[in-house]
Amino acid sequence: MFELTDAFVRLAGTSPVIQALAGGVVIALMNLFGASLVLVWRNPSERALNGMLGFAAGVMLAAAFTSLIIPGIEEYSGGNPVPTLVGVGLGALFLDRADALVPHAHYLLTGTRRTDAAKPNETLPVSDERLAGVVLFVLAITLHNMPEGLAVGVGFGAAAGDPARLGSALSLMLAIGLQNVPEGLAVSVAAINAGLDRRLYAAIAGIRAGVVEIPLAVLGAVAVGTVRPLLPYTMGFAAGAMLFVISDEIIPETHRSGYERVSTLGLMAGVVIMLYLDIALAG
């Protein structure tokens, strides 16, 4: 797998900020690819979507530990778990408070309101109900994707001056890109079911991913490079936000319609693939 690392360096150079920019572009393009699949796979079954979302959850779950939490503790905190775990708590708290202001993506995708969901009419001063739904939908999915872009940027920022860590950053980029494919497809399908135009929203979903994930990847790398002691906190923050999304959004969504086993098998496959990528590229 060293060929992939060398090829990435030749294309993106050695600057962690430029590498993060390239990584953000890659994961955004994979989201666009997933969103565009709806143009050819017009009616994916709920069983297939649940399996694919389970796969996405498995990738994020493994990546949160192998690429963020464990390196944050062992390599950047000298074995002290406190900074990274504080970051984990802050990341989860941020997503929790964000969900108090913007309806859960679960509600916007399914129409099933949870007791802790935000009230759309009280959240945004938009009079047109359909427009409010679209705005809230974009906001919720944007919040959902924020930790992914940040995680990629932090990964490349952490690898600055350390070629051995670049493989881990690449594995994180590829893993998040892979899980962006089923997520992009799921969002497009949900939007179509809500009555939005198929071709138009497939493009909007990809653009939304690019707008959010690319600058956040760059921001993560810049923050790490500027304030190096914050690295374990930022790694923990990205991991905590990802874990919150897995538990609060993806798993409940895939366990509500009777395809729990398919989702679980998808999650296991995602964990296995992420672990393989992490070992192969870091080795």
Side-chain angles (χ1 to χ4, degrees):
M1 287 291 189
F2 283 110
E3 294 82 1
L4 178 59
T5 304
D6 293 339
F8 183 81
V9 171
R10 285 196 296 271
L11 289 172
T14 57
S15 167
V17 174
I18 301 301
Q19 289 176 346
L21 175 62
V25 170
V26 168
I27 63 174
L29 287 175
M30 294 184 79
N31 193 292
L32 174 59
F33 171 73
S36 300
L37 283 178
V38 77
L39 300 175
V40 293
W41 190 9
R42 294 182 176 274
N43 293 298
S45 67
E46 196 163 15
R47 178 188 180 94
L49 284 175
N50 284 351
M52 294 172 70
L53 287 174
F55 173 84
V59 168
M60 290 175 69
L61 179 64
F65 286 94
T66 61
S67 297
L68 295 169
I69 293 176
I70 293 176
I73 294 173
E74 293 184 350
E75 299 180 30
Y76 302 105
S77 297
N80 178 12
V82 174
T84 304
L85 296 183
V86 167
V88 170
L90 291 174
L93 180 63
F94 173 79
L95 263 294
D96 177 66
R97 291 300 83 206
D99 272 344
L101 299 175
V102 177
H104 292 70
H106 173 89
Y107 163 66
L108 294 167
L109 292 172
T110 67
T112 303
R113 179 178 293 282
R114 287 166 33 167
T115 57
D116 59 345
K119 307 294 191 296
N121 294 335
E122 300 173 5
T123 304
L124 285 180
V126 181
S127 57
D128 185 274
E129 184 177 348
R130 179 179 173 82
L131 177 59
V134 173
V135 171
L136 291 168
F137 186 89
V138 172
L139 285 175
I141 300 302
T142 296
L143 288 170
H144 183 285
N145 278 0
M146 284 176 64
E148 299 168 9
L150 181 64
V152 169
V154 169
F156 283 110
D162 186 358
R165 285 290 306 164
L166 181 58
S168 294
L170 284 174
S171 69
L172 180 61
M173 178 196 74
L174 291 174
I176 289 178
L178 282 174
Q179 65 92 31
N180 269 353
V181 174
E183 281 191 357
L185 176 61
V187 170
S188 289
V189 169
I192 291 166
N193 292 339
L196 298 181
D197 177 74
R198 180 187 307 274
R199 189 177 299 274
L200 174 63
Y201 196 77
I204 291 175
I207 293 170
R208 178 264 309 153
V211 169
V212 175
E213 292 177 335
I214 294 174
L216 276 171
V218 174
L219 177 63
V222 170
V224 168
T226 303
V227 190
R228 193 75 177 179
L230 288 181
L231 180 54
Y233 294 96
T234 55
M235 295 179 84
F237 183 92
M242 289 169 65
L243 292 174
F244 186 92
V245 167
I246 293 168
S247 179
D248 194 60
E249 298 285 355
I250 299 179
I251 291 179
E253 168 64 17
T254 58
H255 283 64
R256 70 179 183 85
S257 55
Y259 299 112
E260 295 89 346
R261 181 61 58 84
V262 173
S263 172
T264 299
L265 292 175
L267 185 146
M268 297 301 298
V271 168
V272 169
I273 288 176
M274 176 59 206
L275 291 175
Y276 175 80
L277 284 173
D278 190 68
I279 293 171
L281 287 172

